[in-house]
Amino acid sequence: MLTENMFALSRPRRWLLLLLVAGALFRVLFLLEARARSPAWGILLLDAEVYDMLARQIAAGDWLAGREVFSLPPLYPYLLAGLYRLGLGFGGVVAVQAALGLGSLALIFSLGREAFSARVGLLAVLLCLLYAPFPFEESKLMGTTLGVFLGLAALRLLLAAWKGERAMLWAGAGALLGLTCLVRPETLLFVPLALIWAAWPGGEGGVAGSPVAGKGRAAGRRLLLRGGPLLAGLAMVLAPVAARNAWAAGELSTANLISSQAGITFYQANNPRAAGVYVFLEGEGFSGDPRRQAAEERSLAEASARRPLTRAEVSRYWLGRGLAWIRANPGDFLVLEARKLIRYLGSYEYSTEYLLAVERASVSSLWMPFLPFAALSALALAGLGIRWRDGWGRAAALPALFLAASAGAALLFYISSRYRLQAVPALALFAALALDRILADLGRGAGARRRRGALLAAGVLAAALLLHPPLDARHLAQEATAHQNLGTVLWERGRMEESLAAYRRSLAVVPGNWRAHFGAGLALESLGRTEEARDAYRQALRLNPGAGAVRERLAGLAAGR
């Protein structure tokens, strides 16, 4: 019976099933190797630790998750809490996320088939199978995988709503967009574009044109009948979180609609030290501990204002500082945006928590998905160019608008692999369109068509090679910090030998990292290697003479404490 059902499937679906099986088998292989060999397996760094703490608080019965405004988007910790209540541990959560990842692949195929063709959908799935950050992020306690899945589900339901013209489908798509916003708040930037798309004139199959073409009553009616239910579904999901945050803050504010980090994140991305990736604002008075960041950003803002501030006023303070820098330095801001764009299109997977480059050193199976982002972005740019030349169908415009909103959010803030991953499915669809065109021209074309395919392939290859190398040495600083953060968590867990090894890996990347020297000293001291610890502390103090904690440890060693 199973064989008969398989052969009853259409050929594209059989290929999809084969690709999904390959994806599942790879995930099993990767997760088994990561569990056995990765030093980061089960280690919660930065935001992951906050998500876990909040999830355990919720699972213990505090369904309001405290009395403060959410500092991070709340949907993922609630899902995590539900999985904890079911008895799942870290491995079980990762397995659920791997299943969501496979579900995302199926949605990518469905979107590609609707927007372009089944062949393009299959090629997009193949490209995503070859892109390592998908399984990599599934192995971390972060909301990235959930956000990608919900975003794709929202896009697919938007297409179904357009074809079916049913209010419930529009409302459902709005609800899914709302859920996506509760994982990735920057998805709110897509909502106006979704409304424009909903008001786009034309029926099934799409037409060339824009909402401007449907003037007057017709455009208004389309927006009312489609956008009204969409916004209602969105509001239905966001309203409880907004109300909960208003209760916690004592005021209703757009600054606290979902979480409170928009202001400080904007300033972290737009300030005199900004470089297009996350830069730790050590000189501003932050400790770098995400558990303390909300309190630190409040205290610093209140010290500047010289009065107590509401949570919304704190967020607006940091947003204002970022905007003030932009107004005072428009030229520097344009240069910064150009650097962000180059990093966005390039291959290096920047991160504030877990780095793909670091994990590949111990988990060799992560090299099997070998596709660099620069190749994906070069193909996608070619695919967008093809659609621009051939005209935009209604279905093809939707992933393009989602891509524009996702890329715009990255340029507004800073580049990070897990933030960029939200846009990868849309990128993969346009990359697959270009790849399909290249394969068709080279495989079946006559002279002129073959030459066109060869030129397109050569252009894509040249663009990928140009975008591939890191822009500067910022990636080395992030790798050193990743090893350092891992060393700190291992030290806190009493795994001193592993902690020392992580600190030394950090110093092998950036020898001048005083925090890694200090951490190595702590690990050596705990291991009873006092003289080596003293040397490590002295090296840290030489690099940072103002480090009071280092002086305290040296004094403690001298006093025999």
Side-chain angles (χ1 to χ4, degrees):
M1 181 62 67
L2 178 61
T3 303
E4 291 175 4
N5 287 338
M6 287 179 63
F7 281 101
L9 294 173
S10 65
R11 181 171 295 178
R13 291 185 178 179
R14 273 184 276 167
W15 277 108
L16 175 63
L17 181 60
L18 182 62
L19 291 173
L20 292 178
V21 169
L25 291 175
F26 171 75
R27 280 160 171 77
V28 171
L29 171 65
F30 159 61
L31 293 176
L32 288 175
E33 185 185 9
R35 182 176 181 179
R37 299 185 59 187
S38 173
W41 178 262
I43 298 293
L44 306 180
L45 297 175
L46 302 177
D47 285 3
E49 184 178 11
V50 177
Y51 281 132
D52 176 71
M53 291 173 58
L54 191 56
R56 294 188 183 281
Q57 182 179 345
I58 296 167
D62 183 5
W63 292 103
L64 286 176
R67 301 296 182 269
E68 297 292 329
V69 173
F70 289 124
S71 62
L72 292 174
L75 182 58
Y76 182 67
Y78 274 94
L79 173 66
L80 206 55
L83 296 177
Y84 287 166
R85 288 291 293 265
L86 292 173
L88 297 184
F90 179 82
V93 172
V94 167
V96 170
Q97 293 183 168
L100 283 177
L102 293 173
S104 293
L105 294 176
L107 286 169
I108 289 167
F109 167 75
S110 183
L111 278 169
R113 182 184 56 191
E114 291 295 320
F116 305 108
S117 69
R119 180 181 166 95
V120 168
L122 289 171
L123 286 173
V125 172
L126 177 61
L127 291 173
C128 289
L129 281 174
L130 296 176
Y131 185 59
F134 277 111
F136 175 70
E137 291 292 343
E138 292 162 16
S139 70
K140 312 303 177 191
L141 255 60
M142 306 290 282
T144 313
T145 301
L146 177 62
V148 169
F149 177 82
L150 289 172
L152 285 166
L155 293 180
R156 186 63 189 87
L157 197 53
L158 278 170
L159 282 179
W162 165 58
K163 295 184 72 173
E165 288 292 4
R166 292 171 54 189
M168 288 302 296
L169 291 177
W170 288 106
L176 282 171
L177 278 177
L179 291 173
T180 309
C181 291
L182 295 182
V183 182
R184 296 252 47 91
E186 67 272 17
T187 308
L188 285 169
L189 295 175
F190 173 66
V191 173
L193 300 181
L195 291 173
I196 293 172
W197 182 84
W200 197 319
E204 183 174 337
V207 299
S210 72
V212 179
K215 296 179 181 178
R217 296 179 183 176
R221 184 172 181 273
R222 285 192 299 271
L223 186 59
L224 179 64
L225 294 179
R226 300 168 181 173
L230 189 150
L231 288 177
L234 179 77
M236 179 181 67
V237 171
L238 296 186
V241 176
R244 184 260 178 213
N245 281 343
W247 164 77
E251 62 174 337
L252 180 63
S253 170
T254 55
N256 297 329
L257 185 67
I258 296 173
S259 61
S260 64
Q261 281 210 331
I264 185 61
T265 305
F266 182 78
Y267 178 67
Q268 287 170 334
N270 300 279
N271 65 76
R273 294 179 55 200
V277 295
Y278 176 78
V279 175
F280 174 43
L281 300 177
E282 186 174 9
E284 298 277 356
F286 290 96
S287 65
D289 186 342
R291 296 167 296 185
R292 298 166 55 186
Q293 180 170 294
E296 290 169 350
E297 61 181 277
R298 176 189 285 275
S299 63
L300 290 168
E302 289 180 342
S304 177
R306 299 182 181 179
R307 64 178 179 87
L309 299 176
T310 66
R311 187 67 242 179
E313 287 175 326
V314 171
S315 185
R316 286 194 289 268
Y317 167 80
W318 293 106
L319 175 64
R321 283 194 61 179
L323 292 173
W325 177 79
I326 292 172
R327 286 193 298 267
N329 304 276
D332 291 342
F333 174 68
L334 290 176
V335 171
L336 174 62
E337 290 301 292
R339 293 168 70 87
K340 288 180 184 179
L341 180 60
I342 292 171
R343 285 197 161 99
Y344 185 87
L345 297 173
S347 288
Y348 196 82
E349 302 292 342
Y350 295 95
S351 179
T352 54
E353 295 90 6
Y354 305 95
L355 277 176
L356 177 65
V358 169
E359 190 125 345
R360 273 177 164 167
S362 55
V363 184
S364 58
S365 59
L366 271 176
W367 287 102
M368 293 173 66
F370 60 86
L371 184 68
F373 192 88
L376 193 63
S377 58
L379 277 168
L381 289 172
L384 288 165
I386 290 170
R387 293 312 308 172
W388 183 274
R389 186 193 63 193
D390 294 348
W392 291 98
R394 179 67 171 275
L398 186 61
L401 292 173
F402 190 80
L403 174 59
S406 299
L411 296 178
L412 189 63
F413 295 99
Y414 55 79
I415 308 305
S416 173
S417 179
R418 66 186 177 100
Y419 299 156
R420 188 170 67 175
L421 197 64
Q422 193 79 7
V424 169
L427 270 171
L429 289 173
F430 289 100
L433 176 65
L435 185 58
D436 183 46
R437 182 67 59 88
I438 290 170
L439 292 174
D441 286 351
L442 293 178
R444 294 191 300 272
R449 192 172 174 186
R450 280 180 182 270
R451 286 193 295 272
R452 185 182 69 178
L455 285 173
L456 183 57
V460 166
L461 179 60
L465 291 174
L466 183 65
L467 294 169
H468 179 70
L471 181 62
D472 51 34
R474 294 278 176 178
H475 65 294
L476 296 178
Q478 288 209 342
E479 289 177 23
T481 301
H483 289 300
Q484 172 200 309
N485 289 338
L486 179 60
T488 300
V489 174
L490 291 169
W491 182 84
E492 291 173 349
R493 295 189 176 190
R495 295 160 61 176
M496 297 305 165
E497 290 287 357
E498 294 172 86
S499 173
L500 179 59
Y503 284 126
R504 285 179 168 167
R505 285 194 295 270
S506 176
L507 292 170
V509 178
V510 178
N513 183 0
W514 76 269
R515 292 179 181 275
H517 282 291
F518 179 47
L522 291 173
L524 287 164
E525 187 177 350
S526 299
L527 291 168
R529 296 157 64 174
T530 306
E531 286 305 314
E532 291 178 80
R534 185 178 286 110
D535 290 340
Y537 291 146
R538 287 171 178 165
Q539 183 72 344
L541 199 60
R542 183 184 67 81
L543 292 166
N544 184 10
V550 181
R551 292 185 182 278
E552 289 178 10
R553 290 313 312 148
L554 276 171
L557 285 178
R561 297 196 300 271

